Amino acid sequence: MALRKHFVTAESVGEGHPDKVCDQISDAVLDEIMKQDPYGRVACETYVTMGLLIVGGEITTTGYVDVGNLARAVLKEIGYTHPKYGFDYHTCAVINTIHAQSPDIAQGVNKGGAGDQGFMVGFACRESEELMPLPIMLAHKLVRRVAEVRRGGILKYLGPDCKSQVTVEYHDGHPKRIDSCVLACQHTEEILDSTGKRITKKARQELIEVIAKPILKNYLDRQTKYYVNETGKFVIGGPQSDTGMTGRKIIVDSYGGVVSPGGGAFSGKDPTKVDRSAAYMARYIAKNIVAAGLAEKCLVQLAYVIGRAEPLAIMVDTFGTGKISERAFVKLISQNFDLTPQGIISYLGLLRPIYRKTACYGHFGRTEPEFTWENTDKAVSLKKQAAKM
């Protein structure tokens, strides 16, 4: 039988990317409210452009957030600390347009119902140790590496904005090699060549050697292609070059496009919003099914309607790899997981200030203790129960 080959591409963006700046500020607002008022209702949106940051949305809380100072603190931590980066936390304008949550929504949520309609997706597979698709995990690790190198002063010319992209070649459904790696890293003018239009060959090779190769080394070969700052230079970046908005990177935040991402973004939303909390629970379920050895890959879809607690539907797809039928998986899930908003919040411990960390480098495949939906503590029990079905 002929070898079956296909390619999967995923991208990630760093903490200084304008959209991710907005995600982090929205989640920083959420965390500050969770510290003071765990039952506060938050739907916080942020918009950023050259010299201007706007924070808006609907918030009902007994706490208080100094939005201006909080936003500036996040910008400072990200690295927008000097005009040379095109955006400066000292001098940018910050406008607060937050108002209260609609009482029409609150009357359904207050009795334990979902905060919105929609379907939420969780996925897991055996391609990586994190039980995540390999392309998105490598893309995340690349931009995290850029931040480490920048913060550590290893490459002093790097700015806060960056993007990555990885194309993985699969053989018979298994990741085999990296076909191409894309890096776009904001930098200062010191690494431009004599034309002033391109970075030097030395700088390009440094970015490959210091950032790309340590992350991708297990999948590189002589045919791997590198595309580094392909326009030539990337001096103007961040909000000076692009506007940013909360929630525009849902593929980056989820599974890199190998499965549908669900209907809603995550950042800036308290856990009564099931497009966040139910997506976390769906990932938890799928990961435990794969960790239990019941499937090589698993997609879980949960559907909700605003104001009602129980999901309207549960769907499971194991892509032909399941040890039991998909109908049996649905039964197993129903017996072992409380899928009401209150049940999800309680089991995963979501009424805590844990959300700023999720706003960059993906919401899934993480090892930090705050990411309770990444635990595999249900795997043994699920395996035993499935054996009796």
Side-chain angles (χ1 to χ4, degrees):
M1 183 181 295
L3 185 68
R4 294 179 295 113
K5 297 182 181 181
H6 73 280
F7 297 87
V8 176
T9 300
E11 72 160 345
S12 186
V13 298
E15 58 190 281
H17 185 280
D19 292 333
K20 278 294 149 199
V21 168
C22 293
D23 285 344
Q24 289 171 89
I25 290 172
S26 293
D27 271 338
V29 171
L30 173 59
D31 277 355
E32 189 59 32
I33 289 173
M34 287 287 107
K35 291 175 187 176
Q36 302 176 46
D37 177 15
Y39 297 96
R41 299 287 162 71
V42 182
C44 182
E45 307 281 348
T46 303
Y47 168 86
V48 67
T49 188
M50 185 167 63
L52 174 65
L53 189 146
I54 302 172
V55 183
E58 303 81 47
I59 297 179
T60 301
T61 179
T62 59
Y64 170 74
V65 180
D66 185 335
V67 171
N69 282 335
L70 180 63
R72 293 183 195 279
V74 173
L75 291 169
K76 180 181 179 181
E77 186 177 333
I78 290 170
Y80 284 113
T81 57
H82 194 281
K84 68 182 178 181
Y85 298 129
F87 197 77
D88 185 0
Y89 83 97
H90 294 98
T91 59
C92 70
V94 179
I95 298 174
N96 180 357
T97 64
I98 292 169
H99 58 91
Q101 184 190 53
S102 163
D104 296 347
I105 296 174
Q107 69 179 3
V109 178
N110 288 344
K111 63 182 183 181
D116 204 349
Q117 69 178 48
F119 71 93
M120 294 79 213
V121 169
F123 181 71
C125 62
R126 291 204 168 274
E127 289 182 15
S128 65
E129 62 181 350
E130 299 89 355
L131 301 185
M132 285 282 288
L134 183 65
I136 189 64
M137 290 309 302
L138 293 177
H140 285 324
K141 289 176 181 179
L142 283 172
V143 291
R144 188 187 283 270
R145 175 64 178 164
V146 174
E148 291 171 354
V149 168
R150 174 174 61 88
R151 292 179 184 278
I154 299 170
L155 298 179
K156 298 182 184 298
Y157 50 77
L158 289 176
D161 197 357
C162 69
K163 298 177 74 173
S164 70
Q165 185 171 289
V166 178
T167 298
V168 177
E169 181 177 326
Y170 287 71
H171 292 182
D172 291 331
H174 300 285
K176 184 67 175 179
R177 57 178 294 272
I178 302 296
D179 185 69
S180 67
C181 166
V182 177
L183 285 175
C185 300
Q186 186 184 16
H187 58 87
T188 55
E189 294 185 349
E190 66 190 82
I191 61 167
L192 295 177
D193 64 15
S194 59
T195 70
K197 296 181 178 180
R198 300 193 67 84
I199 62 172
T200 63
K201 291 181 180 180
K202 177 180 180 291
R204 180 183 184 277
Q205 195 59 37
E206 277 183 337
L207 293 170
I208 293 171
E209 296 293 334
V210 176
I211 294 170
K213 288 187 175 180
I215 299 299
L216 307 178
K217 57 187 176 181
N218 293 334
Y219 294 92
L220 297 175
D221 60 23
R222 292 182 179 180
Q223 284 72 49
T224 299
K225 300 176 284 293
Y226 296 96
Y227 302 94
V228 180
N229 287 17
E230 280 295 296
T231 64
K233 65 178 183 178
F234 187 4
V235 174
I236 300 172
Q240 184 183 20
S241 64
D242 281 311
T243 59
M245 294 182 69
T246 301
R248 286 209 297 200
K249 288 291 179 283
I250 60 175
I251 301 297
V252 170
D253 285 344
S254 54
Y255 304 100
V258 298
V259 295
S260 60
F266 304 142
S267 289
K269 298 176 182 177
D270 76 78
T272 66
K273 280 73 172 175
V274 284
D275 39 7
R276 183 170 214 164
S277 54
Y280 291 173
M281 179 57 88
R283 162 65 177 170
Y284 177 64
I285 296 167
K287 187 174 183 182
N288 275 271
I289 286 172
V290 172
L294 299 178
E296 290 295 304
K297 52 185 174 179
C298 178
L299 181 146
V300 174
Q301 184 188 97
L302 307 173
Y304 290 84
V305 63
I306 190 168
R308 296 185 66 89
E310 295 289 343
L312 299 182
I314 305 170
M315 186 272 280
V316 177
D317 186 355
T318 58
F319 307 90
T321 69
K323 299 291 181 64
I324 59 177
S325 71
E326 284 159 6
R327 178 179 294 181
F329 273 120
V330 171
K331 182 178 179 181
L332 193 65
I333 291 168
S334 298
Q335 292 173 344
N336 285 273
F337 300 93
D338 184 344
L339 301 179
T340 65
Q342 289 183 342
I344 294 170
I345 289 168
S346 175
Y347 191 82
L348 296 180
L350 299 181
L351 294 180
R352 298 176 294 144
I354 60 174
Y355 297 103
R356 167 78 189 282
K357 282 188 177 181
T358 70
C360 200
Y361 312 122
H363 292 246
F364 310 116
R366 304 284 290 273
T367 58
E368 297 94 322
E370 292 89 348
F371 291 69
T372 52
W373 49 94
E374 293 297 314
N375 294 336
T376 54
D377 51 315
K378 284 276 194 178
V380 172
S381 174
L382 292 176
K383 187 173 183 178
K384 288 180 180 178
Q385 293 177 58
K388 299 176 182 178
M389 289 181 159

